[in-house]
Amino acid sequence: MKLAFSTLGVPGLPLTDVLALATAHGYHGVELRAHPEEPVHPDLTPAQRADTAAEFKAAGVELLGLAGYARVAAPGEDAPVLAEIRALLDLARDLGAPYIRVFPGGGTEQSPEEADATAARRLGTAAEYAADLDVRILLETHDSHRTGADAMRILGLVGHRHVGALWDVMHTWLGGEQPVESFAALSPHLGYVQVKDIASADDTAPLPLGTGVLPLTDCVEVLSRHSWDGWLCWEYEKRWYADAAPLPGLLTPGREHLARLLNESA
């Protein structure tokens, strides 16, 4: 498995500094938060996109994916959601990213069946565009669909190889799902895995990997047992928790912890 970290942990940091961190701390790749607050977002000009792709190439760091904020199950018209997804897909194509991340985002005014059908309809439409660009859309286990079983209700309706799953291990755990259950549900569609650690279900502020309650050992073990060889991406949610320790000083211990889990599960 290859290791990456998300720029959610270093909000607003210039790309040159992000890539320097990846190189210095031994990470193979980076997941970019694609938001107007960040250096990389869908409003970049063609020249800026070319410069960004060149920076990654020169650094020898892979761009794992673009973490967008489209909510595919949200109530409302399809057109704005599809436009947001397409803009992110275009950016991914231009930068050479294999994946984009979308959220479920179902609303409380919908039934689960309505939310599933809305998300599947939009993802099915976007899948054709994604296929033309050779980029995969990954639905994250999050908010209204936080478990693997929840996400599979949507993905099973879509049935397109350019739509898959992003396993956020915190949300499946908060949803009461065991790692073996999450993997069983998501494995046919799994793009990559987001790892993190927290103190408890009531305190989700980010902690250094291995110091909290999330079942990272079990997650890595089930992935290894099934010879899964994709990406583990550390999503340290510093952007949402200003008092959390700065990520740069945690990157090497975090990589060493994941490497230890991988070695023990091999």
Side-chain angles (χ1 to χ4, degrees):
M1 298 181 216
K2 293 189 283 189
L3 305 181
F5 65 88
S6 166
T7 55
L8 191 65
V10 284
L13 192 68
L15 182 60
T16 300
D17 297 338
V18 170
L19 295 173
L21 284 175
T23 302
H25 296 281
Y27 285 78
H28 307 99
V30 171
E31 177 195 72
L32 293 179
R33 178 177 180 245
H35 189 278
E37 295 177 347
E38 301 294 337
V40 178
H41 51 77
D43 290 333
L44 292 188
T45 67
Q48 290 171 321
R49 295 172 185 227
D51 289 345
T52 299
E55 277 201 72
F56 271 92
K57 186 174 182 180
V61 176
E62 293 185 58
L63 173 49
L64 170 57
L66 301 177
Y69 289 88
R71 286 166 166 77
V72 295
E77 297 297 318
D78 289 356
V81 179
L82 291 171
E84 188 175 356
I85 295 172
R86 285 174 178 144
L88 203 60
L89 288 168
D90 286 338
L91 181 62
R93 185 266 320 274
D94 292 344
L95 301 185
Y99 304 115
I100 68 164
R101 184 279 305 279
V102 299
F103 283 148
T108 55
E109 65 271 42
Q110 300 162 294
S111 70
E113 293 78 15
E114 287 173 317
D116 295 347
T118 297
R121 181 178 67 248
R122 291 168 177 166
L123 287 170
T125 299
E128 298 303 321
Y129 191 69
D132 290 341
L133 303 184
D134 197 24
V135 178
R136 286 189 82 199
I137 304 167
L138 300 184
L139 178 69
E140 183 171 325
T141 54
H142 196 272
D143 56 75
S144 61
H145 292 69
R146 68 182 353 168
T147 67
D150 292 335
M152 272 308 301
R153 295 201 316 267
I154 295 172
L155 298 176
L157 293 172
V158 179
H160 195 291
R161 66 187 185 90
H162 276 86
V163 176
L166 199 173
W167 179 10
D168 181 319
V169 302
M170 180 182 76
H171 284 281
T172 54
W173 180 80
L174 289 172
E177 203 171 59
Q178 296 298 313
V180 66
E181 297 170 320
S182 302
F183 180 79
L186 298 172
S187 58
H189 306 276
L190 190 56
Y192 62 98
V193 179
Q194 283 181 344
V195 297
K196 59 188 71 173
D197 224 338
I198 57 173
S200 70
D202 298 317
D203 182 2
T204 57
L207 294 177
L209 292 179
T211 65
V213 297
L214 292 184
L216 300 181
T217 300
D218 293 343
C219 290
V220 171
E221 195 278 330
V222 72
L223 292 167
S224 296
R225 180 158 26 100
H226 290 88
S227 301
W228 189 80
D229 62 353
W231 287 85
L232 299 178
C233 178
W234 186 8
E235 188 187 49
Y236 185 80
E237 298 186 341
K238 174 69 172 173
R239 172 62 183 85
W240 314 125
Y241 297 90
D243 294 336
L247 177 62
L250 306 177
L251 282 171
T252 289
R255 175 183 53 76
E256 291 171 345
H257 181 71
L258 292 174
R260 187 161 54 250
L261 294 183
L262 289 166
N263 286 336
E264 290 172 355
S265 65

